[in-house]
Amino acid sequence: MRWLWAVLVLAGCSAGQAGPPSAGAIDEGWEVTVYYTAVESFHSGPAAPVRGCPHIDCEHGDDVLGTFPQSFAKAVEDEGTGRTADGRYLNWSYDKGYWLDTAPRDSFGKPLRPFVSAAADGVRTGSRIKLVSCGQTPEGGNVDAAVCQKLASSSWQITDEFTPGLGGERHIDLYLGEETGPGFTESSWYTTFSQAVLEVHQPS
């Protein structure tokens, strides 16, 4: 198969540099964000029943799927997926609401793959992405070196889509897998990079 190689480059600060960019077309201004699978056991506080579909093949169901901490249900709505205490997955999408499942799903119904699955508007599904440089924080500071190294050493693929209105031009969202503890969104892993360098291998 013939591949179209493009390198999307904007020089970041040296602390965010993950490696030298490859030769190719240059585009500037990429923002990198991340998403994750919430884990019910890391959430506490007030609980409330969640209604939806008891299985994947329905939309906007009204069955009571369980009683969950409100912070967990909100995280599922924000991130798209969460693992419940009994090992099932509570998933959510803007066009079908909540449903119970056996896996976290992308927008095409396939299981999400940690440090592989990604979404980006305007980039063809199936494109392979390499993070060449993490750039800098939105405030212009240095990015976390350990987070940058892990994200840059992973091989990403566009297999997912943004919820309409949340993407935008030159914005890529990377799937991390399950949150690793309480307060995950306050950790260095829940991050945003600006002025990042991407290498995009887009199938023709």
Side-chain angles (χ1 to χ4, degrees), residues 1 3 106-110 113 117-129 156-162 200-204:
M1 177 179 292
W3 294 83
D106 62 27
S107 58
F108 300 100
K110 295 181 179 180
R113 294 177 291 167
S117 299
D121 289 343
V123 180
R124 290 180 59 186
T125 300
S127 296
R128 296 187 179 275
I129 309 293
W156 303 93
Q157 187 172 17
I158 303 301
T159 61
D160 206 356
E161 292 181 329
F162 280 105
V200 179
H201 301 228
Q202 182 170 286
S204 59

Side-chain angles (χ1 to χ4, degrees), residues 42-162:
F42 296 146
H43 293 259
S44 58
V50 170
R51 292 181 175 271
C53 293
H55 49 79
I56 190 173
D57 296 323
C58 88
E59 297 179 0
H60 302 294
D62 196 42
D63 294 62
V64 176
L65 305 181
T67 299
F68 304 102
Q70 292 177 8
S71 65
F72 172 70
K74 180 62 166 58
V76 170
E77 186 173 338
D78 289 343
E79 305 299 325
T81 180
R83 179 166 60 83
T84 67
D86 65 6
R88 294 181 295 173
Y89 288 88
L90 179 66
N91 293 334
W92 182 90
S93 71
Y94 76 98
D95 58 349
K96 72 182 297 181
Y98 289 103
W99 77 94
L100 287 174
D101 206 333
T102 58
R105 304 281 177 181
D106 62 27
S107 58
F108 300 100
K110 295 181 179 180
L112 287 164
R113 294 177 291 167
F115 295 99
V116 175
S117 299
D121 289 343
V123 180
R124 290 180 59 186
T125 300
S127 296
R128 296 187 179 275
I129 309 293
K130 192 72 175 177
L131 181 60
V132 177
S133 170
C134 298
Q136 60 188 34
T137 67
E139 297 77 25
N142 293 339
V143 303
D144 184 278
V147 173
C148 176
Q149 181 179 22
K150 175 60 177 176
L151 298 182
S153 64
S154 301
S155 296
W156 303 93
Q157 187 172 17
I158 303 301
T159 61
D160 206 356
E161 292 181 329
F162 280 105

Side-chain angles (χ1 to χ4, degrees), residues 31-48:
E31 177 185 32
V32 177
T33 54
V34 298
Y35 62 117
Y36 65 94
T37 293
V39 176
E40 183 184 1
S41 61
F42 296 146
H43 293 259
S44 58

